[in-house]
Amino acid sequence: MARPQPSHWLANLSTPQQWRHLLRATLRECTYLPDPVARNYMREHILSRYRAVSSRRSNKAGPQMVHAARNALSVLRRANEGYSRPLEKVLLLSYGRTGKRRHEMLAEFLKPETEIPNDTQSAKELICQPTKFGEGWQPPSIVRSLALSHTRNPVIASVRVRPVIKAISPPIPKENIWGKELAQSRKMNIRRKWYFATLSSLLPPLPENDLRTLDGLVSGTIPWEPVKRRKGVKPETDARPESEILKLLVKGPEKENTFADFANGRPHVITARFMRRQWRRISALVPRPYWNETSQKWRFEWDTPKMVPTLSYSLDSSIDSEAFFKEPPQPPRGTAKRPPRDEQQQPQ
């Protein structure tokens, strides 16, 4: 039997007008986000969620939907106020490191390139391929390369945005507990479980436009300014003086400055320096694919969350690099110039 839900969950948002006020307040907070990619994505994400709820047959939204709507508004408000955790959560969602967009980007990244066979031999090879997760099945090479780059990047394990990849290949034991060979169905289940666990840990590359925007924001080539917040209308205050007894009963005894406002974190002033640190953390979680001519495979590079000092510089190919390490030529013996006699130190 379902537990009875509190009445205030549905009573507070029982009319379309109240839902409309909540939607407008959430969209208003999206326009104040300090990141251009987050402003566009969060607006579309909020609208899609509200449209999905409104398209259902039920006239009233359940308690879970009400809680999700209010939680989204709270996260956006605290992100705009400068709290690090909510702002990082919004950036991770917007750049596809977590949430729905990560699944969409990963599906687009793993989309197979279907080629129509031109001859009979190609058609036979396509038909004779092993079944998925069956004997002889291998995951796509780009998945193995991306998973291998994840294991070599210590930043991913320290940030803990996604689960850590424990194995590059499916761990299939040679024998079961009775000393016999594993059944084919058991091997397929192990391969399937390993493959989907690996996919849940992968961080897909960003689209070219978003990656160019992120790199520009990190390097400072794209100008950035904080969004000016529109001032709200101040409510009219009651001119009648409040009695001391009523103030004591409602607010309690007067206190000095406390940390009650900072119980859930201390807000930061959103500046270019603060946002550049946030963008660099996101950039460290974005793989950059490149084609390796030697191995003829896709490889991935990762950025660092902090600036690394440059310890070496590239030289012009026309300059002889060995000339920097050669000793200077010594003058012939006996040809060294002596100082004049008057400059020589006279003995005392």
Side-chain angles (χ1 to χ4, degrees), residues 139-209:
S141 60
I142 195 168
V143 173
R144 294 179 61 89
S145 299
L146 184 56
L148 186 61
S149 66
H150 275 64
T151 58
R152 295 175 178 176
N153 188 5
V155 178
I156 299 178
S158 61
V159 175
R160 297 181 181 180
V161 175
R162 304 302 306 168
V164 180
I165 298 177
K166 299 181 180 179
I168 302 300
S169 58
I172 300 178
K174 296 181 179 180
E175 298 177 351
N176 55 14
I177 58 175
W178 293 283
K180 298 181 180 180
E181 185 181 0
L182 262 69
Q184 294 297 329
S185 59
R186 177 59 180 154
K187 293 181 180 179
M188 292 181 63
N189 293 336
I190 293 176
R191 295 190 190 100
R192 182 185 296 106
K193 183 179 179 181
W194 168 84
Y195 183 69
F196 288 113
T198 304
L199 291 184
S200 65
S201 303
L202 294 181
L203 296 173
L206 273 177
E208 191 66 26
N209 296 334

Side-chain angles (χ1 to χ4, degrees), residues 36 91 96 103 110 130 141 188 241 258 265 272 335 342:
L91 293 178
H103 293 277
L110 299 178
S141 60
M188 292 181 63
T258 63
T335 60
D342 54 352

Side-chain angles (χ1 to χ4, degrees), residues 1-16:
M1 183 177 179
R3 295 175 56 185
Q5 299 294 341
S7 59
H8 67 276
W9 284 104
L10 297 179
N12 294 340
L13 292 176
S14 58
T15 61

Side-chain angles (χ1 to χ4, degrees), residues 301-320:
E301 293 179 346
W302 299 84
D303 198 1
T304 56
K306 294 183 179 180
M307 288 290 294
V308 179
T310 305
L311 301 180
S312 61
Y313 298 90
S314 59
L315 299 177
D316 190 0
S317 58
S318 60
I319 301 177
D320 185 11

Side-chain angles (χ1 to χ4, degrees), residues 10 21-22 48 51 152 161 171 202 208 210 221 238 306:
L10 297 179
H21 294 332
L22 184 60
S48 63
R51 286 168 181 166
R152 295 175 178 176
V161 175
L202 294 181
E208 191 66 26
D210 293 347
T221 56
D238 193 359
K306 294 183 179 180

Side-chain angles (χ1 to χ4, degrees), residues 1-258:
M1 183 177 179
R3 295 175 56 185
Q5 299 294 341
S7 59
H8 67 276
W9 284 104
L10 297 179
N12 294 340
L13 292 176
S14 58
T15 61
Q17 291 78 10
Q18 293 171 341
W19 277 102
R20 191 180 301 116
H21 294 332
L22 184 60
L23 173 60
R24 289 177 177 176
T26 309
L27 294 178
R28 190 182 305 113
E29 293 296 332
C30 292
T31 59
Y32 296 140
L33 289 173
D35 184 84
V37 177
R39 283 196 293 267
N40 298 331
Y41 173 76
M42 293 304 297
R43 182 181 181 277
E44 297 298 330
H45 178 65
I46 294 298
L47 287 176
S48 63
R49 293 292 300 273
Y50 272 82
R51 286 168 181 166
V53 173
S54 63
S55 62
R56 298 181 181 180
R57 297 180 180 179
S58 178
N59 296 328
K60 292 184 178 180
Q64 296 180 354
M65 299 178 187
V66 176
H67 177 73
R70 288 178 171 172
N71 184 46
L73 178 59
S74 175
V75 169
L76 292 174
R77 280 179 177 173
R78 288 182 288 127
N80 291 326
E81 291 174 0
Y83 288 92
S84 299
R85 290 291 182 85
L87 182 58
E88 184 179 4
K89 182 178 181 180
V90 171
L91 293 178
L92 290 174
L93 286 171
S94 303
Y95 284 96
R97 304 303 93 188
T98 57
K100 180 181 178 181
R101 195 184 183 196
R102 190 192 74 88
H103 293 277
E104 295 175 352
M105 293 167 56
L106 190 62
E108 185 67 23
F109 176 69
L110 299 178
K111 184 180 294 183
E113 298 180 359
T114 56
E115 297 181 359
I116 301 176
N118 298 326
D119 51 2
T120 307
Q121 185 65 23
S122 301
K124 288 182 179 180
E125 293 178 357
L126 183 62
I127 295 173
C128 296
Q129 287 183 356
T131 59
K132 192 173 184 180
F133 308 123
E135 193 68 27
W137 171 84
Q138 292 293 335
S141 60
I142 195 168
V143 173
R144 294 179 61 89
S145 299
L146 184 56
L148 186 61
S149 66
H150 275 64
T151 58
R152 295 175 178 176
N153 188 5
V155 178
I156 299 178
S158 61
V159 175
R160 297 181 181 180
V161 175
R162 304 302 306 168
V164 180
I165 298 177
K166 299 181 180 179
I168 302 300
S169 58
I172 300 178
K174 296 181 179 180
E175 298 177 351
N176 55 14
I177 58 175
W178 293 283
K180 298 181 180 180
E181 185 181 0
L182 262 69
Q184 294 297 329
S185 59
R186 177 59 180 154
K187 293 181 180 179
M188 292 181 63
N189 293 336
I190 293 176
R191 295 190 190 100
R192 182 185 296 106
K193 183 179 179 181
W194 168 84
Y195 183 69
F196 288 113
T198 304
L199 291 184
S200 65
S201 303
L202 294 181
L203 296 173
L206 273 177
E208 191 66 26
N209 296 334
D210 293 347
L211 182 59
R212 194 182 304 110
T213 302
L214 180 61
D215 292 340
L217 292 172
V218 171
S219 60
T221 56
I222 296 180
W224 177 87
E225 292 182 359
V227 182
K228 295 182 180 180
R229 194 175 186 90
R230 188 176 58 183
K231 296 182 179 180
V233 179
K234 296 183 179 180
E236 297 180 359
T237 57
D238 193 359
R240 294 179 299 176
E242 188 177 3
S243 63
E244 297 294 335
I245 298 178
L246 181 60
K247 186 187 300 184
L248 178 64
L249 293 176
V250 174
K251 300 181 180 180
E254 294 184 0
K255 300 179 181 179
E256 295 183 355
N257 297 332
T258 63

